[in-house]
Amino acid sequence: MTTSPPIDAETALVWFRRDLRADDQAALFHALKHHRRVFAVFVLDTDILDPLPRADRRVSFILEALRVLDEDLGALAAGAGLIVRHGPARTEIPALAAALGAGALYFNHDDEPDALRRDADVGDTLLSRGLQVRSFKDHVVFERSEVLTGAGKPYGVFTPYKNAWLRQVNDFFLSAYPVERYADRLAPLPEAFRTFGTFGTFGTVRPHGAGAKAKDAPSPHGRRIPTEADIGFEPVELPAVLADGSRGAQRLFQDFLKRIDHYADRRDFPAEKGPSYLSPHLRFGTLSIRQLAREAWARAQSGNAGAMTWLSELVWRDFYHQVLHHHPRVVGHAFRPEYDRIAWATGPDADADFEAWCQGRTGYPLVDAAMLQLNQTGYMHNRLRMVTASFLIKDLGIDWRRGEAYFAQQLLDFDLAANNGGWQWASSSGCDAQPYFRIFNPVNQSEKFDAEGAFIKRYLPQLARLPAKLIHAPWLARPAELQACGVRLGHDYPEPIVRHETARMATMDRYAVVKDRGFPES
């Protein structure tokens, strides 16, 4: 689908998706470099939005990022800005390209299966009309087949992939795209495009829902970036650290760089300020992955252990994206096909256990606190993602795909490649996954990574009076100890819905059908 732009294509359209920033943006840079007039667009794609709950924090995050992006484009060139449309991208992009007289469309890659089908549809439509279509790598440092084994095959184990990644990376792959060099080619927005609306009804808003008519909706009166209400959603308040789009992302990154030296030592403790908290910004591209990797790599080269550990996490991200590219079957199926033979728990009891897990009512405090963090904030600490996933799969015996789907619904930073990779890792069914017989003990994890119970108490205040020796497994406390702390199991806090040791034996039996054959060497 990618072609070279003709010299006589004066006008180009840049389609923003998961790259919501005006600096170091590959598609934007290339469009500006090769064309005299460039317009920028973001489509609030109803094919994606319609199935979502009406209060979805990701929608609020995106709209905030669009507001900043619009302002930043205007700062680069007078009169420039972001065109925002609401409707199916498959029809909105071709219609907008025709209205603007664009001879070329530019966008950055998205390797999720649905996105690939969408992009192919849009590209085929435009190519059939004689337009040029160009797409670029922007979301990862190395993509698709850029890092392969000596035999020219994709890696199936992380450590060899990481070593090859580190051998291959250099200043060229981490250098920024100097968008500002050609910024004067950003075209002023025509009058008809200076307010939010559906193509063909500029200045009006397409209401949400089947059968709605544009004339039934109030005009936003000159507002280019819609509110949640304009597109049929409810506003969701985001944490202050996630405000202000790409500008807020830069502030958060600079704050993390002050702490990066201690990342390796502090990242596993959910009550501490150890992680970067940048995952939503990576997901939506309000920060450039090249900037992040460049800073980490420079520090790692000088022996900074914290930076090296964090860089490894960025490499994991590339790894999972190349797995998705080469093995799209992982969406819905185990990477290791023999693991699809496992008989997962089903029926009313399993459904009740799944609901208890979703709502943070399992009776295991660290698991429950983590699920409450997810439900209340849209974020979960990475260590706790492993703990909660292991609990669902190997304590409750529930199909990993149910947990993957719940995380996809709740996580602000949901990314298909990483979410799928993490759940397949926990279920032992994926690339370089933990062995099936490695089963996290939720009590041991709690004692090790939240020793004083500070994180648990934050989300389970009813347990706040329990001393550290009791808070990790309150069912082991004597009745008098619980009474003294004002805790009644089964009333203030649930009894455990499963006993870990019993569940562990059931898991070993369940996984016996796969007969672990070890892991590939490549």
Side-chain angles (χ1 to χ4, degrees):
M1 185 171 65
T2 298
T3 60
S4 299
I7 295 175
D8 60 353
E10 178 176 298
T11 302
L13 181 63
V14 178
W15 180 14
F16 284 78
R17 295 103 67 83
R18 52 190 302 163
D19 41 25
L20 305 181
R21 65 187 185 280
D23 67 291
D24 189 13
Q25 213 269 28
L28 179 61
F29 168 79
H30 286 288
L32 292 171
K33 182 178 179 181
H34 291 289
H35 301 270
R36 298 182 184 90
R37 298 172 71 246
V38 175
F39 295 100
V41 62
F42 182 88
V43 178
L44 292 156
D45 194 338
T46 50
D47 289 339
I48 297 172
L49 296 179
D50 282 354
L52 298 180
R54 293 302 91 187
D56 192 300
R57 54 180 60 90
R58 289 167 292 195
V59 174
S60 294
F61 183 92
I62 289 170
L63 293 178
E64 176 74 359
L66 295 182
R67 179 187 63 78
V68 175
L69 174 58
D70 177 57
E71 293 174 358
D72 288 348
L73 291 171
L76 285 171
L82 184 68
I83 299 169
V84 178
R85 288 290 168 261
H86 181 220
R90 285 176 168 85
T91 56
E92 292 288 336
I93 291 296
L96 189 59
L100 292 168
L105 175 70
Y106 285 67
F107 58 86
N108 291 317
H109 295 159
D110 185 340
D111 281 337
E112 294 188 7
D114 287 346
L116 290 171
R117 287 188 286 269
R118 174 202 62 201
D119 294 349
D121 288 346
V122 171
D124 289 345
T125 298
L126 295 183
L127 288 171
S128 70
R129 298 178 184 177
L131 277 75
Q132 300 295 306
V133 178
R134 299 197 70 194
S135 59
F136 301 88
K137 175 184 69 174
D138 188 77
H139 197 56
V140 291
V141 175
F142 293 117
E143 67 170 1
R144 299 180 177 178
S145 298
E146 288 189 308
V147 178
L148 297 172
T149 69
K153 297 180 179 180
Y155 282 92
V157 176
F158 174 68
T159 299
Y161 174 86
K162 173 187 168 182
N163 292 337
W165 193 103
L166 291 172
R167 287 194 299 271
Q168 193 163 322
V169 74
N170 57 38
D171 291 338
F172 171 79
F173 290 106
L174 300 181
S175 60
Y177 289 99
V179 168
E180 61 282 355
R181 184 180 299 171
Y182 305 104
D184 60 348
R185 297 180 181 179
L186 280 167
L189 295 181
E191 182 66 35
F193 295 89
R194 292 178 186 172
T195 57
F196 167 68
T198 304
F199 174 72
T201 55
F202 302 117
T204 63
V205 180
R206 173 182 291 163
H208 178 80
K213 297 179 180 178
K215 65 182 179 61
D216 298 327
S219 168
H221 300 298
R223 186 174 61 244
R224 189 151 54 243
I225 307 303
T227 66
E228 290 90 343
D230 291 331
I231 57 173
F233 281 83
E234 300 171 13
V236 179
E237 186 174 356
L238 297 171
V241 295
L242 295 178
D244 212 19
S246 59
R247 298 172 198 162
Q250 290 292 344
R251 291 194 296 269
L252 191 59
F253 183 43
Q254 294 306 314
D255 176 73
F256 174 62
L257 288 179
K258 300 172 185 176
R259 302 181 282 109
I260 196 171
D261 294 0
H262 305 290
Y263 176 77
D265 301 325
R266 301 177 63 185
R267 66 180 180 137
D268 280 322
F269 300 91
E272 296 189 23
K273 190 178 179 181
S276 71
Y277 306 109
L278 291 169
S279 55
H281 293 292
L282 274 171
R283 164 61 182 86
F284 293 105
T286 43
L287 270 178
S288 164
I289 181 60
R290 290 174 292 277
Q291 179 188 6
L292 272 58
R294 185 169 63 247
E295 293 282 358
W297 188 58
R299 287 166 170 77
Q301 292 289 95
S302 62
N304 187 311
M308 186 68 247
T309 301
W310 192 59
L311 181 62
S312 294
E313 294 300 306
L314 300 181
V315 179
W316 265 108
R317 184 172 172 274
D318 277 15
F319 177 68
Y320 280 143
H321 276 272
Q322 67 94 28
V323 170
L324 179 62
H325 169 73
H326 286 285
H327 308 284
R329 71 175 189 276
V330 298
V331 182
H333 297 281
F335 175 82
R336 303 172 71 187
E338 64 269 25
Y339 280 74
D340 281 333
R341 299 200 301 265
I342 294 173
W344 301 105
T346 58
D349 289 345
D351 290 345
D353 285 348
F354 179 69
E355 184 63 21
W357 177 83
C358 291
Q359 300 304 317
R361 294 185 285 101
T362 69
Y364 284 81
L366 186 65
V367 172
D368 293 342
M371 295 304 295
L372 291 170
Q373 180 187 45
L374 173 65
N375 294 339
Q376 294 172 20
T377 70
Y379 169 80
M380 186 187 287
H381 187 279
N382 188 61
R383 166 59 57 173
L384 302 184
R385 298 187 195 204
M386 294 187 284
V387 172
T388 55
S390 179
F391 187 86
L392 181 74
I393 298 164
K394 296 180 178 178
D395 281 76
L396 300 182
I398 292 175
D399 192 335
W400 60 270
R401 281 159 282 232
R402 296 186 70 177
E404 180 193 19
Y406 189 74
F407 272 29
Q409 176 184 330
Q410 296 293 327
L411 283 170
L412 176 59
D413 64 7
F414 167 65
D415 182 288
L416 176 59
N419 192 48
N420 179 272
W423 276 95
Q424 294 225 33
W425 181 89
S427 67
S428 305
S429 64
C431 268
D432 203 8
Q434 65 173 347
Y436 72 86
F437 49 80
R438 182 186 178 194
I439 302 172
F440 283 174
N441 182 316
V443 175
N444 291 348
Q445 291 286 307
S446 186
E447 292 171 339
K448 183 175 182 180
F449 296 110
D450 190 31
E452 298 302 315
F455 178 80
I456 291 171
K457 292 175 182 178
R458 186 182 306 165
Y459 289 96
L460 294 168
Q462 64 270 43
L463 303 182
R465 293 174 59 190
L466 289 175
K469 68 176 182 176
L470 301 178
I471 199 168
H472 308 288
W475 64 90
L476 297 179
R478 295 190 301 271
E481 292 175 312
L482 292 174
Q483 184 178 9
C485 297
V487 176
R488 289 177 295 168
L489 290 184
H491 184 272
D492 303 303
Y493 185 70
E495 295 271 6
I497 62 174
V498 66
R499 296 294 178 177
H500 176 70
E501 286 306 317
T502 303
R504 187 181 188 282
M505 297 307 297
T507 292
M508 297 296 286
D509 291 340
R510 179 175 287 110
Y511 274 75
V513 298
V514 303
K515 301 291 185 184
D516 184 55
R517 301 168 186 170
F519 297 96
E521 295 299 326
S522 61

